Amino acid sequence: MALENSTFSSRPESLSLPVPEKGEEPAQEAKEDAPPTSVFNVSEELGHVVTTETSTPPQPSTNNNLSFQAKMAAREAQANQPRKKLQGAGQERGKFGWARSKRKRQRYVEKNGRCNVQHGNMRETYRYLTDIFTTLVDLNWRCSLFVFVMAYAVTWLFFGAIWYLIAYCRGDLDHLEDETWTPCVNNVNGFISAFLFSIETETTIGYGHRVITDQCPVGTMLLLLQAILGSMVNAFMVGCMFVKISQPNKRAETLVFSRNAVISLRDDKLCLMFRVGDLRSSHIVGANMRAKLIKSKQTQEGEFIPLDQTDISVGFETGDDRLFLVSPLVISHEIDSRSPFWDMSQAQLEKEDFEIVVILEGMVEATGMTCQARSSYLAEEVLWGHRFSPMMSLAEGFFDVDYGAFHHTFEVDTPSCSARELALAAARREAHLYWSISSRLDEEKWEGPNLTEQSRKPTDSESVSEKKEGDGPTFIVGGVTDTQDQSVVGEQNGSVTTDQSESEA
């Protein structure tokens, strides 16, 4: 009905209004077409309907159906158009033209453990050359292989050129056919043969066809120099390749962390938990777990500290951070007064912007090198009210671990309040229980003996006869004076025994 009564012009400058019927006055038409609260127009730049609020007070309209139909027609037209992003990162138009922006937090540490930090504007690059061995080891494999090949090729070419220069300077190349001439190196007749002799010398191959003679002392010195430098190049490059191949960070690929962290109750206390496991049969010796909270903060003096690091205790005081990582373990952080999550509730967790970095360190059993595995959890990756599914079962003669349930969690009953509020509620409950028990004990202590003594109070005749018969002092059980208020129950029981013994006498 809305589409039948309204049409769009060829140029989307404004939304065409319904055509009035014959006989209606222009003034009445203008009055009826005035929107009560907002005006709908089509922006030429954005290409879709935009709602603009007006400050004019609503006027009474006799025909509100037409205005409502115009609104519905504009909304249906906007719904059929594709969404177009606004200028700015992470913003786009919604169904009714409203701007939506959702900023995705940049990770400090990726899920695979790679630190998402790039160093720029470094002017002291010479420091990398002071530790050339570590620099070569840190290179990627493509660069490492290129440096490895070029190190040998350059030394071979360099010494081959020197051998060719010696033969050229001594005139050995001019006496190739002279059998009486003693060259510096036999059978060196050009640069190629000199290059082959350099390779045989540095690699100690020694085919026996090209050999140095005793008539060339310069060649002897060069031979010693090439042998020493060749051994150094071999040791350096082979050592770099061996360390790069046996790097312990490859061992960290088989140390896995759970996809999500969870918050639930353990022993009536809120705990932050995540799971870690080792896929290999060879274990990590002396495994140690650490956790850091990465969150920007501002001090009381107004200083802004980006990506501030705060320790998260995972059992350092009790020794629970030292793991025996034979099977997957659930690492727990108790949220107490020293925890950074002490005041965080479920509603606040959904609004927070932080990152939890977990670090597992240990020594590789096979190589003895220290290994470190890292991962991180953003605020949206922390599940409130969840618990990890069990993944270990007892089989015939061994324990079976099902890694298919490593990342699985299930919901449990968990209060949505913060750990502080939960502790205050528990303290109030304990205080109420303590005072209620103590008040009952006081009532039983003071009311019980008085009721017993009143039930055993003698009559007036018995008291008079007791006064006549006994010459000693008489104790009145029923009446308790002010000085007797501080007496204990044992003294009251003693007075009752004395009255009974006197009456029997």
Side-chain angles (χ1 to χ4, degrees):
M1 186 63 181
L3 295 176
E4 294 177 359
N5 297 333
S6 62
T7 58
F8 291 94
S9 60
S10 59
R11 184 178 180 183
E13 293 181 354
S14 62
L15 186 65
S16 61
L17 299 176
V19 179
E21 297 180 359
K22 296 181 179 180
E24 295 181 356
E25 298 179 358
Q28 184 179 0
E29 178 184 358
K31 185 177 180 180
E32 292 175 355
D33 294 339
T37 55
S38 60
V39 176
F40 291 85
N41 54 11
V42 180
S43 175
E44 185 175 359
E45 297 179 357
L46 299 180
H48 53 264
V49 180
V50 179
T51 305
T52 306
E53 298 294 337
T54 59
S55 60
T56 59
Q59 299 178 358
S61 177
T62 57
N63 192 0
N64 294 330
N65 294 331
L66 295 178
S67 177
F68 179 74
Q69 291 174 359
K71 293 180 182 180
M72 294 302 298
R75 292 181 180 179
E76 290 178 2
Q78 172 60 24
N80 295 329
Q81 294 180 358
R83 296 179 180 177
K84 185 175 182 180
K85 293 184 178 180
L86 295 174
Q87 295 180 356
Q91 294 184 350
E92 62 178 0
R93 288 282 182 179
K95 184 176 181 181
F96 302 108
W98 294 354
R100 299 188 309 178
S101 61
K102 183 178 180 181
R103 183 177 62 88
K104 183 179 180 181
R105 175 180 171 84
Q106 183 67 42
R107 286 185 178 272
Y108 189 67
V109 177
E110 299 291 342
K111 296 294 286 186
N112 58 1
R114 184 180 64 87
C115 296
N116 195 12
V117 177
Q118 294 184 0
H119 303 279
N121 196 17
M122 293 182 299
R123 300 179 181 179
E124 298 180 355
T125 55
Y126 66 91
R127 296 181 180 272
Y128 287 98
L129 299 178
T130 58
D131 189 10
I132 187 64
F133 184 83
T134 306
T135 302
L136 293 177
V137 171
D138 291 339
L139 293 176
N140 54 28
W141 274 104
R142 184 178 301 176
C143 296
S144 296
L145 291 177
F146 177 77
V147 172
F148 183 82
V149 173
M150 292 302 298
Y152 285 102
V154 168
T155 54
W156 294 340
L157 289 172
F158 175 74
F159 284 102
I162 295 178
W163 287 114
Y164 175 78
L165 184 62
I166 291 175
Y168 179 80
C169 293
R170 293 185 74 255
D172 295 341
L173 301 180
D174 299 333
H175 301 81
L176 296 177
E177 303 297 335
D178 190 359
E179 296 181 357
T180 61
W181 180 264
T182 304
C184 183
V185 180
N186 291 329
N187 299 318
V188 174
N189 52 12
F191 178 77
I192 299 299
S193 59
F195 176 70
L196 293 176
F197 179 73
S198 175
I199 295 176
E200 294 175 9
T201 302
E202 189 168 340
T203 57
T204 64
I205 294 176
Y207 290 111
H209 183 65
R210 299 177 183 86
V211 60
I212 190 173
T213 61
D214 55 357
Q215 301 296 326
C216 182
V218 178
T220 304
M221 298 297 297
L222 182 61
L223 179 65
L224 295 176
L225 180 62
Q226 186 175 3
I228 295 174
L229 292 180
S231 300
M232 295 176 62
V233 171
N234 288 333
F236 190 81
M237 299 310 301
V238 172
C240 288
M241 295 302 295
F242 175 77
V243 172
K244 192 170 184 63
I245 292 174
S246 61
Q247 273 185 335
N249 55 1
K250 301 302 179 183
R251 177 64 174 87
E253 298 293 335
T254 55
L255 297 174
V256 293
F257 294 88
S258 59
R259 189 179 300 110
N260 298 97
V262 299
I263 293 180
S264 60
L265 290 175
R266 264 194 177 186
D267 298 330
D268 295 334
K269 295 181 180 179
L270 284 177
C271 296
L272 172 69
M273 294 171 285
F274 57 92
R275 181 179 275 171
V276 60
D278 188 4
L279 301 179
R280 288 188 178 273
S281 299
S282 58
H283 309 308
I284 297 295
V285 180
N288 187 10
M289 177 61 66
R290 293 186 292 127
K292 293 280 187 179
L293 175 65
I294 309 298
K295 183 180 179 181
S296 301
K297 73 172 185 178
Q298 188 172 5
T299 62
Q300 297 179 0
E301 294 78 13
E303 179 187 3
F304 179 74
I305 304 177
L307 301 178
D308 182 62
Q309 300 184 10
T310 306
D311 283 333
I312 300 177
S313 177
V314 289
F316 177 77
E317 296 82 2
T318 59
D320 293 337
D321 60 332
R322 294 184 288 273
L323 310 178
F324 182 53
L325 196 59
V326 178
S327 60
L329 300 176
V330 176
I331 310 301
S332 175
H333 162 66
E334 181 179 338
I335 304 179
D336 53 9
S337 59
R338 297 173 296 176
S339 173
F341 308 106
W342 175 242
D343 296 320
M344 185 178 298
S345 61
Q346 183 178 5
Q348 189 177 1
L349 175 63
E350 299 175 355
K351 304 177 183 179
E352 285 291 335
D353 188 12
F354 61 85
E355 183 176 357
I356 301 173
V357 178
V358 292
I359 304 170
L360 175 62
E361 294 179 343
M363 187 174 62
V364 182
E365 187 179 22
T367 61
M369 295 184 177
T370 303
C371 172
Q372 184 181 92
R374 298 179 294 267
S375 186
S376 66
Y377 301 98
L378 298 179
E380 56 267 19
E381 295 175 348
V382 179
L383 304 179
W384 189 286
H386 282 246
R387 186 181 298 167
F388 286 105
S389 302
M391 53 183 301
M392 181 177 291
S393 60
L394 180 61
E396 296 181 359
F398 60 93
F399 293 94
D400 185 20
V401 178
D402 181 18
Y403 273 94
F406 184 81
H407 302 285
H408 291 179
T409 61
F410 61 94
E411 294 185 3
V412 293
D413 294 334
T414 305
S416 59
C417 62
S418 62
R420 177 191 290 272
E421 297 173 352
L422 189 63
L424 290 176
R428 294 192 193 99
R429 192 165 53 250
E430 293 178 358
H432 176 71
L433 181 61
Y434 171 78
W435 288 109
S436 61
I437 293 177
S438 61
S439 61
R440 291 178 183 176
L441 293 176
D442 293 340
E443 291 177 359
E444 293 178 358
K445 177 179 179 181
W446 296 106
E447 294 179 1
N450 293 335
L451 293 176
T452 305
E453 293 169 359
Q454 290 178 3
S455 62
R456 299 178 61 180
K457 181 179 179 180
T459 60
D460 296 337
S461 59
E462 292 178 355
S463 61
V464 172
S465 60
E466 288 177 358
K467 289 181 180 180
K468 292 181 180 180
E469 293 176 0
D471 296 334
T474 303
F475 298 91
I476 301 175
V477 180
V480 180
T481 61
D482 295 337
T483 57
Q484 294 175 345
D485 290 340
Q486 303 297 331
S487 60
V488 295
V489 180
E491 296 177 356
Q492 295 177 358
N493 295 335
S495 63
V496 173
T497 306
T498 305
D499 293 339
Q500 290 180 355
S501 61
E502 291 178 354
S503 62
E504 290 177 359

